[in-house]
Amino acid sequence: MKITNVKVLVTCPGRNYVLVKIETDEGLYGWGDATLNGRELAVASALEDHIAPLLIGRDPDRIEDAWQMIFRGTYWRGGPVLMTALAGVDLALWDIKGKRAGLPVYSLLGGKTREGALAYTHCGGEDFHEVEDEVRAALARGFKNVRVQVSIPGNVGTYGTAPGRSTVMGSTRPDMPYVEQWEPAPYLRTIPKMFEHLRVALGDEVELLHDVHERLNPIQASRLAQELEPYHLFFLEDPLRPEHKESFRLIRQHTTTPIAMGELFHSRWEAVPLITEQLIDFIRCDIGHIGGLTEARKIAVLAETYNVQTAWHGPGDIAPMTHAANVHLDISIPNFGVQEMVHFPEVTQEVIFGGPTFDNGYMVVSDRPGLGTDVNEAAAAKYPYERSYLPMVRRFDGSVHDW
Ligand code: GCO
Ligand code: MG
């Protein structure tokens, strides 16, 4: 079997996605996801202009060799654009391998270790009561784990709370990043109070998570994690920026709050010190930005060795192929922890279908060969790319901070 064509499709059914179709001379094809929010066209060009020509004529069965060729064979390796492009190719090749074998990808990865992947959803609100109501609604839908985020008084447009409800400062152009305003002091005062409210209102059983979104410095993160200890979080996510792995030691010295990290990593080697020093409890790389399943399963093995569980990134701005890859891996490894999930709107499902489904707190994938996902290309053509950016954050004094 030989690869005859690599097609890159950029479509905007609700939001932008970069989809990769690898076609073969035997009629079998596979779909991957190479979406990098805000830099979609850079990935599309990397694929079309530089990577696709290398793949034509190759045997799609040789995934590891293709991975090594694309990663190491370029000399200039890594980074979010190239690792997202590589993930798109990798997923499409795993999809083909599964279809060729007549087996779902989880079976190729070793077979089921569990029936479904424990899922968590997002709950956010303007105040503690709104968050509480959202959590109650999620529990009624079957979720056992929920991530909770609340608007910070005095700040503008807090991450993870319902977008658009707060006034948005900065640009009014819809195709430019909107600018949120954020200060650490009110944030650090508010979050422990939110957890106190939720524990009193909801009791101890519901598993609660919170995403810091890489905004704190080491001592602030240590203080927050320590003050949250009485509320027994399932995990505190991304407390620090990805650059300073050594700073996680400070958090560890101060608290037993479980720590999750990794959605901004694009290389296995970024995860290594956190795992081998047991500075985190959950590794949550994005399979779509770290080079695909081929790389993620190696990270999972390393994590297993050091008693670290997985919690792969599962936001709405990666396509259902990556969510499917998440779940295929989740249900075939021993050290799975939890899986972030989103419900895709109908318009997305019209274009990309066959992704994981939700069943009473767990995500499941079908037994269809490959990843199980497919694309309606005619429908995709109805939704052309629209330029858009992630938001930005500025402090009260106007300086840029990490979003
Ligand atoms: C999460 C993430 C996302 C990211 C987004 C950026 O935990 O789901 O933090 O919400 O912000 O994927 O592109
Ligand atoms: Mg996050």
Side-chain angles (χ1 to χ4, degrees):
M1 189 182 282
K2 291 214 171 351
I3 295 173
T4 50
N5 192 27
V6 179
K7 193 191 246 179
V8 182
L9 207 135
V10 186
T11 176
C12 189
R15 69 194 321 156
N16 290 313
Y17 294 106
V18 180
L19 309 177
V20 187
K21 185 183 193 185
I22 298 187
E23 296 168 339
T24 66
D25 58 353
E26 293 183 25
L28 270 187
Y29 62 86
W31 279 103
D33 163 35
T35 308
L36 182 63
N37 195 340
R39 295 294 184 270
E40 297 86 358
L41 300 186
V43 182
S45 165
L47 283 163
E48 270 169 354
D49 299 326
H50 304 294
I51 294 171
L54 300 171
L55 292 168
I56 308 300
R58 292 176 55 89
D59 180 353
D61 189 61
R62 298 177 64 168
I63 301 178
E64 182 70 43
D65 189 59
W67 200 99
Q68 298 294 333
M69 176 188 72
I70 295 169
F71 180 69
R72 298 170 71 177
T74 55
Y75 189 58
W76 307 109
R77 59 174 69 181
V81 171
L82 295 182
M83 295 313 279
T84 303
L86 176 49
V89 170
D90 186 74
L91 258 53
L93 292 177
W94 278 100
D95 194 28
I96 292 176
K97 192 186 276 294
K99 287 174 177 169
R100 199 176 185 185
L103 293 169
V105 166
Y106 69 74
S107 175
L108 303 180
L109 295 173
K112 277 190 186 176
T113 52
R114 53 181 53 80
E115 299 310 318
L118 179 69
Y120 75 86
T121 189
H122 301 165
C123 295
E126 284 297 290
D127 58 34
F128 300 163
H129 290 280
E130 268 191 35
V131 182
E132 179 193 331
D133 290 347
E134 288 258 315
V135 176
R136 288 189 195 281
L139 295 177
R141 283 179 7 243
F143 283 100
K144 296 150 186 47
N145 295 52
V146 290
R147 190 192 82 170
V148 286
Q149 312 287 134
V150 71
S151 283
I152 306 303
N155 291 5
V156 178
T158 311
Y159 167 83
T161 61
R165 259 194 269 176
S166 315
T167 335
V168 170
M169 60 178 266
S171 171
T172 49
R173 281 178 58 187
D175 64 344
M176 293 299 279
Y178 70 78
V179 183
E180 298 174 357
Q181 205 181 27
W182 185 86
E183 275 296 309
Y187 172 79
L188 288 168
R189 281 196 298 272
T190 305
I191 299 304
K193 289 182 190 150
M194 171 185 70
F195 276 99
E196 187 181 5
H197 174 96
L198 294 174
R199 279 293 176 225
V200 170
L202 301 164
D204 290 333
E205 216 164 300
V206 52
E207 296 284 9
L208 299 173
L209 299 72
H210 176 71
D211 188 354
V212 178
H213 222 248
E214 303 103 359
R215 290 179 180 186
L216 296 176
N217 69 27
I219 201 69
Q220 293 164 340
S222 305
R223 169 184 151 190
L224 180 67
Q226 190 181 54
E227 289 183 8
L228 292 180
E229 235 173 59
Y231 311 113
H232 297 133
L233 271 64
F234 188 86
F235 65 56
L236 184 66
E237 171 177 333
D238 291 354
L240 300 174
R241 289 187 286 277
E243 290 84 13
H244 298 288
K245 316 293 181 290
E246 69 288 352
S247 304
F248 281 82
R249 292 191 197 125
L250 195 72
I251 302 182
R252 278 303 212 217
Q253 284 159 14
H254 285 91
T255 180
T256 58
T257 293
I259 304 296
M261 181 70 191
E263 70 181 54
L264 282 180
F265 292 171
H266 24 81
S267 144
R268 174 195 331 169
W269 290 277
E270 294 186 87
V272 166
L274 296 182
I275 293 173
T276 57
E277 280 193 55
Q278 296 182 317
L279 296 176
I280 56 172
D281 304 280
F282 296 87
I283 180 72
R284 52 186 320 287
C285 301
D286 188 315
I287 291 184
H289 302 327
I290 197 115
L293 271 171
T294 299
E295 186 68 350
R297 70 194 174 99
K298 292 176 186 172
I299 295 170
V301 171
L302 182 72
E304 178 195 348
T305 315
Y306 288 90
N307 246 312
V308 172
Q309 290 181 287
T310 65
W312 311 119
H313 193 208
D317 57 6
I318 51 175
M321 294 81 172
T322 305
H323 288 261
N326 284 343
V327 179
H328 281 281
L329 192 54
D330 295 339
I331 63 171
S332 62
I333 56 176
N335 55 323
F336 163 73
V338 75
Q339 183 57 59
E340 179 181 28
M341 79 160 282
V342 288
H343 288 284
F344 285 97
E346 251 171 54
V347 59
T348 310
Q349 295 188 45
E350 178 197 353
V351 174
I352 312 161
F353 50 95
T357 51
F358 178 71
D359 183 18
N360 196 31
Y362 295 86
M363 285 173 87
V364 289
V365 281
S366 74
D367 292 334
R368 276 191 299 280
L371 289 172
T373 40
D374 212 335
V375 174
N376 180 337
E377 292 182 60
K382 292 193 297 182
Y383 307 104
Y385 168 76
E386 291 172 30
R387 190 171 70 212
S388 85
Y389 295 91
L390 285 165
M392 285 177 59
V393 159
R394 287 185 185 271
R395 297 278 302 270
F396 284 0
D397 68 359
S399 57
V400 173
H401 194 69
D402 300 87
W403 177 69

